[in-house]
Amino acid sequence: MAKAIMVQGTMSNAGKSLLAAGLCRIFKQDGYRVAPFKAQNMALNSFITREGLEMGRAQVMQAEAAGIAPSVLMNPILLKPTNDTGSQVIVNGEVLGNMDAREYFAYKKNLIPAVRQAYETLAAENDIIVIEGAGSPAEINLKDDDIFVNMGMAKIARAPVLLVGDIDRGGVFAQLIGTVDLLDPDERAMVKGLIINKFRGDKTILDPGVKMLEEKAGIPVVGIAPYLNIEVEDEDSLTERFEGRQEVGLIDIAVIRLPRISNFTDFNPFESMPGVSLRYVQRVSELKNPDMIILPGTKNTMEDLLWMRQNGLEAEILKAAAAGTVIFGVCGGYQMLGNSLSDPMGVESGGSIKGMGLLPMDTVFAGNKTRTRVEGSFGQIGGILEKLSGTALEGYEIHMGVSTAAEGAEPLTKIQDTNQDSAAAKLDGNQKGNVYGSYVHSIFDKEQVAERIVEALGEAKGIDTSEMTGVDYQTFKESQYDILAAALREHMDMKQIYAILEQGV
């Protein structure tokens, strides 16, 4: 069985996912077979595996860092919030159903066998498992139910724990000491190292605090990790991408930051292109005059469309579309662009509402979820994005709705399900004028897709975009994992971490 090490945090967004990915990369570089694991993930960014199963995006990112294919074994339970009190529960990549918080807490003990089996299968196939916790292990109101998330999982895997605190938000010493003090004695004994994360500046300034921290906690500080400006995919809506700069580039792309936005990693390829600004906007005042407006995926299409309708963003998008601005919808954003949305089975909110009326189609939400990986190409494209015609694409579909195009509608792509060798090609998406929509997530990942979109937007406004070249996104991500690993090797005591891993608990 593999040796295990677990990364827990003092709070959400302390940097657990990134540090776990960095450790996966380091162990891979050092010649070990390594896999990530997170028993329960709560996020709207998900992914479809080769087998057509759904899992959290963070473990996909960590699997890439480890140099292996993503598997639902790495994330056996995924919770996708549908509202403030409930989530869709996905177990081993399949939808179990929707549950409110109390219902799930009462049920989740039944999932222990699934978590154990997933972990033990991974552990039998690898040398090292890097386990990621969730939130904080010291949430007093949740500790009784922590049966496989933080310390519960550490006990199942007999994994020593590295506890991570975020200094960028301030109060890191209180975070770490307070968390350790709130743990039960047997849990405290499992914490073998402390990590101060997201540090900027001269490390020697921290020395007195580090010394006091080690004395009070009785646990060594094994790393002071720097604040890293690297481009890897984020787990959920706590991403710092949403709070990024709002400056407008030569080519400006605005993504509507819907309340239940999902799979916003779809748009990361544009962030690496010089001269291109990718902005997430929530208000009419932030929209400005972009060259392209993207409506992203969402876990509740109808409620998020009503949110746009109420705050004025829908009216501004309709005005922009009438003026010739490119509008591109992906998955839930694509559904919004049609004539109507109906939910007779109560999959989302129930009832029916009028769509934005920009694409000739209607969507009905069904009980079965489409989950598949696809590849194919754009068809004959009209409007400003004509350059996309024939361009190859690949990605995946995750959606509950079925969209039916009106007679005479023009499809956007021709794709094939790669999870089924015998699957016939099918037409996907819709286009009308400068409005485009598709169910395919990661549709912009291939280098030529992003490049041709930017080139077309540049030609439409009469500017030279020859220097705004894209990159092969997979190759780019590989370089980012190597940068992450190099930074962690420099700022963390890997010799001590290896000793912790070897010693266990």
Side-chain angles (χ1 to χ4, degrees):
M1 297 290 284
K3 294 185 180 298
I5 194 163
M6 188 168 191
V7 180
Q8 296 185 15
T10 57
M11 59 182 176
S12 295
N13 209 35
K16 299 182 295 292
S17 297
L18 194 64
L19 290 176
L23 289 174
C24 284
R25 191 61 157 198
I26 288 171
F27 294 143
K28 172 190 180 292
Q29 291 172 339
D30 290 349
Y32 295 97
R33 296 175 303 164
V34 56
F37 183 83
K38 185 168 184 173
Q40 175 186 294
N41 210 339
M42 177 176 279
L44 289 176
N45 274 359
S46 59
F47 178 85
I48 299 300
T49 69
R50 292 172 181 168
E51 299 79 22
L53 301 173
E54 189 172 2
M55 64 181 289
R57 194 90 197 189
Q59 280 59 64
V60 174
M61 180 265 289
Q62 291 160 359
E64 289 176 344
I68 58 176
S71 163
V72 292
L73 295 173
M74 302 167 186
N75 174 215
I77 302 171
L78 174 62
L79 305 179
K80 301 185 76 172
T82 53
N83 53 43
D84 291 342
T85 59
S87 295
Q88 184 181 71
V89 181
I90 296 167
V91 180
N92 289 325
E94 305 269 8
V95 175
L96 180 66
N98 289 352
M99 297 186 188
D100 63 31
R102 287 191 178 277
E103 184 182 4
Y104 177 70
F105 280 131
Y107 180 84
K108 74 176 189 176
K109 61 181 178 292
N110 298 306
L111 299 177
I112 293 175
V115 170
R116 282 186 177 275
Q117 184 176 359
Y119 176 78
E120 289 169 3
T121 303
L122 271 186
E125 298 170 350
N126 291 278
D127 303 315
I128 300 173
I129 305 295
V130 179
I131 307 172
E132 181 188 343
S136 162
E139 300 287 355
I140 296 168
N141 58 315
L142 299 177
K143 274 178 66 68
D144 289 345
D145 293 304
D146 182 11
I147 51 180
F148 49 65
V149 177
N150 288 303
M151 285 301 176
M153 189 64 226
K155 291 174 182 177
I156 289 173
R158 298 188 57 78
V161 172
L162 304 177
L163 182 64
V164 182
D166 177 3
I167 196 172
D168 192 53
R169 296 187 178 190
V172 72
F173 298 107
Q175 289 176 39
L176 290 165
I177 290 293
T179 300
V180 169
D181 283 352
L182 287 171
L183 296 176
D184 295 336
D186 63 325
E187 297 171 335
R188 197 176 304 131
M190 300 184 76
V191 181
K192 302 298 184 181
L194 306 177
I195 298 173
I196 296 173
N197 195 26
K198 304 183 189 178
F199 178 68
R200 314 176 195 237
D202 183 352
K203 177 180 169 293
T204 60
I205 296 173
L206 276 184
D207 288 345
V210 169
K211 182 180 179 182
M212 181 181 292
L213 181 60
E214 291 181 327
E215 289 173 352
K216 285 187 174 292
I219 302 168
V221 174
V222 297
I224 300 175
Y227 192 101
L228 295 171
N229 289 311
I230 61 172
E231 297 292 336
V232 297
E233 293 177 347
D234 299 285
E235 179 177 28
D236 55 31
S237 59
L238 291 176
T239 177
E240 294 175 5
R241 276 184 165 85
F242 292 164
E243 309 304 329
R245 61 185 177 84
Q246 290 289 316
E247 291 89 352
V248 172
L250 288 174
I251 297 297
D252 184 38
I253 300 172
V255 181
I256 304 301
R257 183 182 167 185
L258 301 169
R260 297 167 186 82
I261 186 172
S262 66
N263 291 79
F264 53 83
T265 50
D266 288 345
F267 319 118
N268 290 5
F270 293 111
E271 291 185 339
S272 62
M273 300 180 71
V276 177
S277 56
L278 184 77
R279 301 181 295 111
Y280 290 87
V281 302
Q282 286 183 293
R283 304 172 184 85
V284 170
S285 60
E286 297 171 345
L287 188 58
K288 302 177 184 176
N289 187 30
D291 302 300
M292 180 164 77
I293 298 173
I294 296 177
L295 297 177
T298 164
K299 195 65 188 73
N300 197 315
T301 304
M302 294 170 71
E303 285 194 7
D304 280 0
L305 176 55
L306 292 174
W307 172 82
M308 286 203 305
R309 194 159 285 166
Q310 290 161 2
N311 72 6
L313 275 169
E314 180 190 34
E316 288 300 309
I317 293 168
L318 293 174
K319 190 186 303 182
T325 300
V326 172
I327 313 294
F328 205 119
V330 177
C331 199
Y334 165 47
Q335 294 170 337
M336 292 179 183
L337 294 172
N339 293 321
S340 68
L341 299 100
S342 300
D343 185 15
M345 300 175 63
V347 173
E348 287 195 350
S349 307
S352 299
I353 63 170
K354 183 174 180 282
M356 297 176 71
L358 293 175
L359 289 177
M361 66 176 196
D362 299 279
T363 297
V364 177
F365 292 97
N368 295 326
K369 177 180 278 193
T370 298
R371 302 186 318 262
T372 183
R373 296 198 61 78
V374 300
E375 62 182 22
S377 62
F378 286 89
Q380 184 60 47
I381 306 300
I384 289 175
L385 299 188
E386 182 182 2
K387 286 179 175 291
L388 279 179
S389 299
T391 305
L393 66 92
E394 61 182 30
Y396 55 97
E397 293 184 50
I398 318 172
H399 56 92
M400 302 293 282
V402 176
S403 297
T404 304
E407 186 175 350
E410 292 292 329
L412 188 73
T413 68
K414 186 176 184 179
I415 55 177
Q416 187 167 1
D417 182 344
T418 59
N419 295 121
Q420 300 180 32
D421 294 335
S422 60
K426 64 178 182 180
L427 300 177
D428 161 74
N430 208 315
Q431 57 175 318
K432 182 179 180 181
N434 289 319
V435 180
Y436 312 87
S438 170
Y439 270 120
V440 180
H441 291 289
S442 292
I443 193 169
F444 306 116
D445 275 14
K446 277 193 170 291
E447 179 180 356
Q448 281 193 324
V449 175
E451 271 191 0
R452 288 177 180 176
I453 287 174
V454 169
E455 184 181 351
L457 295 174
E459 285 186 4
K461 64 190 302 188
I463 65 172
D464 180 12
T465 61
S466 58
E467 300 297 320
M468 300 180 194
T469 54
V471 296
D472 179 82
Y473 194 48
Q474 291 301 320
T475 302
F476 174 74
K477 287 194 288 186
E478 285 294 307
S479 71
Q480 298 300 292
Y481 298 137
D482 287 337
I483 292 170
L484 171 61
L488 294 189
R489 284 186 189 274
E490 181 180 354
H491 295 281
M492 290 172 56
D493 188 342
M494 286 307 304
K495 184 177 180 181
Q496 192 166 13
I497 290 173
Y498 268 113
I500 291 169
L501 178 68
E502 189 65 33
Q503 182 180 356
V505 295

